Amino acid sequence: MKEFCVSDAPNAVSKKSDKPEQNAWSDTLRLPKTDFPMRAGLAQREPAWVQRWLDNDVYGELCRMRLAEKAPAYIVHLGPPYANGRMHMGHALTYTLKDFVVRSKFMAGFYSPYAPGWDCHGLPIEWKVEQDLRAEGKSKHDISKTELRARCRAYAQKWVDVQKADWQRFGALGDWDHPYLTMAPKNEAGIVRELGKLVQRGLVEKNLRSTQWSWAEETAMAEAEVEYKDVTSTAVYVALPIVGRENEHLVIWTTTPWTLPANRAVAVKVDEDYCSIEVAAAARNGSELSPQLGKKLWIAESLLEAFTNAVGIGGHVVTKQKGEQLVGWQYQHPLYNTVQPVVEGFHVTTDAGTGLVHIAPAHGAEDFVIGKQFGLPLECPVDGAGKYVAGTPSLPLTGEVIEGKLIWPMQKLILAELEQSGRLLSAKDFQHSYPVSWRSKEKLIFRTTEQWFVSLDKPIKGLIAEQPELEISLRDASLARIYGKDAKGHAARKVNWVPEYGMNRIGSMIENRPDWCISRQRAWGVPITIFMVKKTGVDGVENGLVTDPAVFEHVAKLIEAETIDAWDSRIEAGRVAELFPPNWLESRGLTVADVEPVTDILDVWFDSGTTHAHVLRAEGGEGQRFHRTDGKRPADLYQEGSDQHRGWFHSSLLTSVANYGDAPYENVVTSGFVVDGEGRKFSKSLGNGVEPHQLMDKYGMDIIRLWVASSDYSEDIRYSPQIMDSMADAYRRFRNTFRWLLGNLNGVADVDVDVASLPELERYMLHRLGTVLAEVRGHYDAYQFHKGYRALYEFCGTELSNFYFDVRKDVLYCDAASSATRKATVAVLVQVFRGLVTHLAPLMPFTTDEAWRERYGEDACVHKERFQTVPEVGVEESRWTGLFETRDAVNVELEKLRTAGGVGANSEASITLADAGVPAELLREVLGVSKVSFASGLSVAKHDGHKCPRCWRYYDTVEESGLCLRCDEAVTESNMTQGAA
RNA sequence: GGACCAAUAGCUCAGUUGGUUAGAGCACCGUGUUGAUAACGCGGGGGUCGUAAGUUCAAGUCUUACUUGGUCCA
């Protein structure tokens, strides 16, 4: 404990007394005295304070305290950051906000366990590792998958350690010794178990999907691997004869003629105007008359001019139709002797082309969707190496064979075929930006590939836990949790979305999303531990997939022991049998030849999307810290940026509803993004970005935390040097308030307030303090930290500094120790100190803890305290409203007198005003003047009496000592106390 | 191109169901103190509420369009 000066004696020794010109009476005053420095030095001192909290295991002790108290739980769950790169401002924002919640819940008496965590698998890391390999002159094929994963694991761990240090520096309270890592074997096993449940529920299916594909590397391309480059393509206009309409043609436009063999439909925009023109003039080859003369060509009216210019034909409009009239027409395939339909296309625009869109479901994302919508064939006629598959028909007129040939050289042959059939209107090379492989820089193509999906629309039982018999789709059950009921009226207890618009945002995403593709053809991720079985009628096999929980559990146990390598390494080594429990295959009459393990890995969103299970609901071990018995969902709060409506909030909701029939969270709070002073996002080109460590070095974390606290995070929050400077000013206000309080309470132990005997001013201040603090706790409960911050800041500034402290300086400095008013004031200041510091502790943990230790000793820690509450005091508010109006009016008059040179400080003034039932002494104190007397009307004047050299107030009479009566008695009492000691 | 969100003094924020001359704190200007002094007090100036229409007796507050910015998607 810190040593206190137990005596209540005035500061007998004051450095100021060395100054000869100093008023001798100063030594007899009780001036504030404290070692709490005016300058914080946060940037230098905070790191040591972080270490102190860790060394003292503040978090652990808090948990043990609350568990011992059987406190209710409040669980904040964290969306794991990706283990790559330093922490940026967005991290600083969201982890600070979460820390506000965790700390304020602990201080409100909750048990609030909080584990940091990291998202460790996935392409970005695998990719980085591949780059490192290339730097060593190797490729990923030169090393085993196991070794590749080992490198990925090491890479992720490196960044986990870096980020952990950054994160702790933010001042975040949490279980730093037990973070969760999605690459930890127990979590990897937990992820596999969640997949198993999904499979057992019948929600996992294999289906075709349109994938960006690099034919050069023969691999699927993830979004992040796609680059855009200027390349040359051939744009063609092709006329397709319409079935049953003599001489009429649909004109399509495409920049990928190699996809024409895969043409399965033409799409139109239903509300667009289309017209047909009769070709009256054509000059394709100079003088030569084109074979197009006299043909009737259909095209979107708004694109007619661009088309005729591009193709070089003239003609007049014959007929017009709405797009919807064209739907249902049939046309001749561009190359083959088949008939294809005209369908509605949701994606058709009139930006370019003809408004009649060539649909090759195998070769485009939107084409694929339309293909599915209208039941068109989806098979891909191009293989992984970019060659037309065997069985692709030869071109009928020219007889050219294209099967087994690379698509690119075949384009010329296809154009020649079209030329010969008279269907080619024009072909022109042009440059455009087009997706290419980041590695080979070759153009990417779309292919349909087989992938694994979570079905959003298959109705099954158990997706709404309260209604176990209800058959409902994952989509509808999720919507029921989002809105409280789905479109069909199925009710369910909803999630609380803060701000409320988050509900519509995630709702519309769930409503419109396709099935969730969970497979990736990669190495660094949790394997899709599914076995496909061709034989039917096998126990524990449904729809061709092994669903027996025993098998998934067996694999999970292996992964728990050996990491995800357990799966691949056995498959590669031909030891698939080991992936089954003993005798499992044999007892069913199966051999390893009958089962085919999937070698894809899971989408990394599945890892983080199941943390509610493998972190919060995990049985035993570290999962135990989150187990709750109050019947609530696993987490009280998920809080992340609004991008997570598509990300983590979304994936977590789907997996939790699917496997547990309920949302994983009670509340979802979203924040905006950190933007610059003009509201623009940080970008390298604008050069407007800033990193947390730069700010911590300049200002210190508590000031950054105040910036977060002062901002309404439901919108984007602005950063600028000007804003930070104003936060530094705000910080100084708080710090000085602490300092003054500490100075005045120095040497005084905490005392209880005796509400009954308080002076009216103290009753009022206690009432105000209690009101403000209760308000602040309410704001914290509603996650409205900026309102709590504001309430505290304005209370500090206006009611304490401007008013109460200013008024009570006289009593604190000058009154005798035995003065009842002084004792009452000190008692209230204790409440003020404890109230302010505890309520600010979640927002600025460093400085509040510093102040707390200054008062209560080095072993004290404000973060182990609860919010200080204040005794109820009945106060007549209107009386004080009137008093403050009087004060304002008097101040205006005093200012006039001051400007005229009549008075300096208010204490030089004497006031006359009407008696409004407020005692003259209270008025005098509140106004800060030396004398108040009652008469009609308001007047201010310089007090013409004697100035007490000790308290500087003016009096009509003085004592023999030259002091006022109050000071005379105070000095006498002080001398007696010292004499006795 | 689509969905969602935002736009109030230099800055950060308040402005209930539309209703008197739009508020606060900070910053700024002036000033007083020099016993919170790299601090504290007092006074003052400053927004017509992104733009434009509309509804209404009445709009920052409702509607529409647009502009700017943000997130997600295409």
Side-chain angles (χ1 to χ4, degrees):
Chain A
M1 286 286 283
K2 181 181 167 61
E3 283 179 34
F4 287 116
C5 175
V6 186
S7 137
D8 203 15
N11 302 316
V13 182
S14 166
K15 285 173 190 167
K16 298 268 168 94
S17 63
D18 298 341
K19 296 178 187 171
E21 70 276 17
Q22 195 71 29
N23 183 332
W25 295 112
S26 291
D27 295 349
T28 70
L29 297 172
R30 289 179 183 76
L31 297 179
K33 184 174 174 242
T34 176
D35 294 330
F36 190 74
M38 175 167 280
R39 302 193 65 188
L42 293 178
Q44 290 73 41
R45 297 202 290 157
E46 282 172 343
W49 295 339
V50 167
Q51 198 54 49
R52 167 197 291 268
W53 292 333
L54 295 174
D55 292 345
N56 295 343
D57 191 21
V58 171
Y59 169 83
E61 199 165 316
L62 265 173
C63 287
R64 288 188 288 275
M65 272 166 55
R66 293 291 181 266
L67 285 171
E69 295 163 4
K70 302 211 183 324
Y74 188 95
I75 297 176
V76 178
H77 185 45
L78 159 91
Y82 198 70
N84 189 10
R86 288 288 295 267
M87 290 274 180
H88 54 63
M89 288 301 284
H91 292 123
L93 168 68
T94 189
Y95 300 142
T96 300
L97 284 173
K98 278 188 270 277
D99 195 53
F100 289 169
V101 179
V102 171
R103 287 181 183 276
S104 61
K105 290 299 174 187
F106 268 123
M107 296 194 82
F110 287 88
Y111 167 64
S112 192
Y114 177 71
W118 278 274
D119 201 8
C120 304
H121 297 126
L123 179 72
I125 287 175
E126 186 174 340
W127 196 11
K128 279 279 185 193
V129 167
E130 279 184 40
Q131 283 180 332
D132 291 350
L133 274 173
R134 270 196 305 285
E136 297 170 25
K138 294 182 194 163
S139 104
K140 65 175 172 181
H141 303 295
D142 296 334
I143 61 174
S144 69
K145 267 189 167 181
T146 305
E147 193 184 337
L148 180 68
R149 279 193 292 262
R151 282 176 176 250
C152 291
R153 193 172 286 280
Y155 181 91
Q157 186 62 51
K158 180 184 87 182
W159 284 110
V160 165
D161 296 337
V162 169
Q163 292 193 353
K164 185 171 170 178
D166 283 345
W167 200 343
Q168 290 177 328
R169 179 64 186 83
F170 294 161
L173 194 65
D175 199 351
W176 292 107
D177 292 337
H178 307 97
Y180 73 86
L181 271 60
T182 57
M183 68 175 179
K186 63 175 183 288
N187 295 86
E188 291 177 332
I191 294 163
V192 162
R193 289 187 177 104
E194 292 311 301
L195 174 68
K197 286 179 191 152
L198 270 178
V199 173
Q200 287 142 30
R201 292 207 162 200
L203 288 177
V204 177
E205 304 169 344
K206 192 165 77 166
N207 262 319
L208 287 172
R209 179 177 206 250
S210 187
T211 316
Q212 295 234 65
W213 188 272
S214 173
W215 56 273
E217 289 120 10
E218 299 191 40
T219 179
M221 283 280 127
E223 196 62 38
E225 296 174 295
V226 175
E227 284 182 7
Y228 285 79
K229 204 180 99 175
D230 274 341
V231 299
T232 303
S233 293
T234 307
V236 297
Y237 284 97
V238 180
L240 305 173
I242 301 169
V243 174
R245 297 177 80 96
E246 187 72 18
N247 205 28
E248 294 186 31
H249 298 72
L250 300 171
V251 180
I252 60 169
W253 180 81
T254 178
T255 60
T256 53
W258 62 267
T259 64
L260 285 171
N263 175 275
R264 295 292 178 266
V266 165
V268 296
K269 189 175 182 183
V270 287
D271 56 356
E272 189 68 28
D273 290 317
Y274 289 84
C275 64
S276 72
I277 60 161
E278 184 167 333
V279 180
R284 258 184 68 235
N285 289 324
S287 56
E288 184 192 340
L289 273 182
S290 146
Q292 311 305 334
L293 208 59
K295 277 187 181 173
K296 288 178 186 158
L297 304 177
W298 282 90
I299 186 169
E301 196 173 10
S302 58
L303 289 160
L304 181 59
E305 196 181 331
F307 165 69
T308 52
N309 289 342
V311 177
I313 58 173
H316 58 277
V317 173
V318 186
T319 20
K320 289 186 190 179
Q321 294 279 16
K322 278 282 181 197
E324 57 193 328
Q325 302 297 322
L326 277 60
V327 172
W329 289 4
Q330 295 192 310
Y331 65 92
Q332 289 281 330
H333 191 279
L335 298 166
Y336 304 123
N337 190 25
T338 60
V339 170
Q340 311 294 344
V342 175
V343 298
E344 173 182 353
F346 67 92
H347 69 308
V348 177
T349 66
T350 49
D351 297 341
T354 62
L356 293 161
V357 178
H358 153 60
I359 299 293
H363 299 305
E366 289 147 339
D367 301 49
F368 179 80
V369 172
I370 287 173
K372 266 189 102 166
Q373 192 181 344
F374 297 103
L376 305 173
L378 304 174
E379 288 70 37
C380 192
V382 172
D383 70 14
K387 293 172 179 164
Y388 291 110
V389 296
T392 305
S394 300
L395 302 176
L397 298 178
T398 57
E400 295 283 0
V401 176
I402 61 173
E403 72 171 339
K405 305 262 182 71
L406 189 61
I407 52 178
W408 306 111
M410 292 304 104
Q411 287 207 148
K412 258 191 238 160
L413 305 181
I414 288 168
L415 295 188
E417 174 81 12
L418 290 170
E419 181 90 53
Q420 195 164 333
S421 65
R423 292 174 183 175
L424 185 64
L425 300 178
S426 83
K428 279 184 187 147
D429 284 354
F430 77 113
Q431 291 251 322
H432 62 158
S433 174
Y434 198 79
V436 298
S437 162
W438 63 278
R439 194 162 154 198
S440 64
K441 311 294 178 197
E442 292 285 355
K443 282 203 244 184
L444 297 180
I445 62 176
F446 274 98
R447 287 183 68 230
T448 46
T449 53
E450 288 197 319
Q451 301 289 345
W452 294 90
F453 292 84
V454 175
S455 170
L456 272 290
D457 294 310
K458 180 178 178 182
I460 64 166
K461 286 180 184 175
L463 294 188
I464 292 181
E466 303 93 299
Q467 306 172 64
E469 290 307 307
L470 177 68
E471 288 205 358
I472 187 170
S473 69
L474 180 52
R475 189 190 311 278
D476 287 343
S478 301
L479 289 172
R481 290 301 176 191
I482 291 169
Y483 293 111
K485 63 178 179 186
D486 71 1
K488 296 170 188 99
H490 302 118
R493 193 166 68 85
K494 66 176 289 214
V495 168
N496 179 40
W497 305 95
V498 181
E500 210 173 330
Y501 67 73
M503 177 173 74
N504 291 324
R505 201 169 145 87
I506 192 170
S508 73
M509 287 174 182
I510 298 273
E511 249 165 81
N512 297 315
R513 67 158 298 150
D515 285 348
W516 180 8
C517 178
I518 55 170
S519 55
R520 299 288 185 273
Q521 291 70 52
R522 284 282 157 183
W524 181 229
V526 178
I528 295 183
T529 56
I530 293 178
F531 293 98
M532 296 176 285
V533 181
K534 288 234 170 66
K535 279 194 183 170
T536 54
V538 180
D539 178 35
V541 175
E542 283 168 46
N543 298 319
L545 305 182
V546 172
T547 55
D548 185 352
V551 177
F552 281 96
E553 186 53 30
H554 178 77
V555 172
K557 285 263 161 54
L558 289 174
I559 288 176
E560 213 166 291
E562 305 170 21
T563 80
I564 48 176
D565 289 343
W567 181 260
D568 258 5
S569 61
R570 281 181 176 74
I571 294 170
E572 283 169 7
R575 288 151 52 203
V576 171
E578 293 175 21
L579 295 171
F580 288 90
N583 243 347
W584 195 92
L585 290 170
E586 295 81 343
S587 66
R588 287 164 176 77
L590 299 175
T591 69
V592 284
D594 295 314
V595 293
E596 187 189 342
V598 174
T599 54
D600 292 348
I601 61 165
L602 282 164
D603 175 11
V604 70
W605 283 107
F606 194 89
D607 294 17
S608 58
T610 49
T611 55
H612 58 82
H614 61 85
V615 176
L616 297 185
R617 300 189 222 238
E619 296 295 325
E622 286 160 21
Q624 206 61 42
R625 60 196 154 156
F626 302 111
H627 281 187
R628 60 197 313 169
T629 52
D630 52 13
K632 287 189 178 169
R633 294 165 180 152
D636 289 280
L637 178 67
Y638 275 36
Q639 184 277 317
E640 301 293 334
S642 61
D643 54 334
Q644 299 304 333
H645 284 119
R646 178 154 294 271
W648 190 55
F649 301 149
H650 189 116
S651 55
S652 297
L653 180 67
L654 291 180
T655 61
S656 183
V657 169
N659 285 348
Y660 300 90
D662 198 359
Y665 34 63
E666 298 286 342
N667 302 282
V668 173
V669 173
T670 45
S671 54
F673 285 71
V674 180
V675 296
D676 74 8
E678 269 73 56
R680 283 186 309 251
K681 63 177 162 187
F682 288 169
S683 74
K684 276 180 190 155
S685 57
L686 286 173
N688 58 354
V690 69
E691 298 297 330
H693 67 87
Q694 297 173 309
L695 295 184
M696 287 192 290
D697 290 349
K698 181 171 180 193
Y699 297 100
M701 192 62 206
D702 261 358
I703 289 175
I704 301 173
R705 292 176 66 109
L706 277 189
W707 164 68
V708 174
S710 71
S711 303
D712 177 359
Y713 61 78
S714 67
E715 298 169 23
D716 287 341
I717 89 168
R718 296 187 181 208
Y719 160 81
S720 70
Q722 185 194 354
I723 293 169
M724 286 314 292
D725 286 345
S726 71
M727 293 328 299
D729 286 345
Y731 174 82
R732 252 176 262 129
R733 162 80 79 172
F734 283 125
R735 189 171 181 89
N736 262 304
T737 302
F738 292 168
R739 184 161 181 270
W740 190 83
L741 284 165
L742 285 165
N744 282 289
L745 293 173
N746 195 2
V748 183
D750 280 2
V751 282
D752 290 332
V753 268
D754 177 14
V755 174
S757 69
L758 286 180
E760 195 172 356
L761 177 58
E762 273 58 41
R763 290 179 66 88
Y764 173 72
M765 285 315 298
L766 208 53
H767 164 74
R768 284 298 304 148
L769 178 68
T771 306
V772 168
L773 296 183
E775 200 180 300
V776 168
R777 291 192 298 275
H779 290 317
Y780 287 177
D781 281 345
Y783 319 110
Q784 299 270 303
F785 297 101
H786 73 287
K787 293 191 173 168
Y789 159 84
R790 171 167 299 273
L792 287 166
Y793 183 60
E794 295 193 356
F795 183 68
C796 268
T798 59
E799 300 193 60
L800 294 180
S801 280
N802 296 10
F803 176 62
Y804 183 62
F805 292 174
D806 201 39
V807 168
R808 278 302 183 223
K809 276 184 208 170
D810 174 65
V811 160
L812 286 164
Y813 298 173
C814 305
D815 268 18
S818 63
S819 152
T821 310
R822 190 173 193 285
K823 285 181 172 169
T825 303
V826 165
V828 167
L829 289 187
V830 167
Q831 295 292 313
V832 168
F833 179 81
R834 295 186 60 92
L836 271 187
V837 175
T838 54
H839 284 71
L840 279 166
L843 306 186
M844 31 192 285
F846 293 101
T847 305
T848 50
D849 203 34
E850 183 195 2
W852 200 258
R853 277 183 279 123
E854 177 63 27
R855 175 158 177 74
Y856 297 107
E858 284 302 298
D859 294 335
C861 177
V862 72
H863 304 299
K864 294 181 194 163
E865 302 292 324
R866 290 190 182 221
F867 287 131
Q868 175 78 23
T869 54
V870 175
E872 281 291 329
V873 191
V875 161
E876 200 185 328
E877 296 253 10
S878 60
R879 180 178 170 86
W880 284 91
T881 313
L883 197 47
F884 286 121
E885 281 166 6
T886 303
R887 184 168 179 261
D888 288 344
V890 168
N891 271 334
V892 169
E893 292 306 311
L894 278 171
E895 187 63 19
K896 285 182 195 161
L897 185 60
R898 187 162 22 242
T899 312
V903 290
N906 283 15
S907 60
E908 294 172 30
S910 159
I911 309 288
T912 315
L913 40 57
D915 186 350
V918 178
E921 179 59 11
L922 178 57
L923 275 172
R924 192 197 58 71
E925 287 176 339
V926 165
L927 299 175
V929 296
S930 280
K931 185 179 177 184
V932 167
S933 42
F934 294 126
S936 62
L938 171 64
S939 67
V940 302
K942 182 164 170 54
H943 193 297
D944 52 6
H946 309 275
K947 178 179 180 180
C948 170
R950 183 168 176 272
C951 70
W952 298 344
R953 258 164 64 187
Y954 285 70
Y955 295 88
D956 295 333
T957 60
V958 290
E959 302 305 301
E960 277 177 37
S961 58
L963 299 177
C964 68
L965 179 59
R966 179 263 307 253
C967 286
D968 189 68
E969 286 174 358
V971 171
T972 305
E973 179 188 306
S974 170
N975 287 340
M976 284 168 63
T977 313
Q978 283 182 317

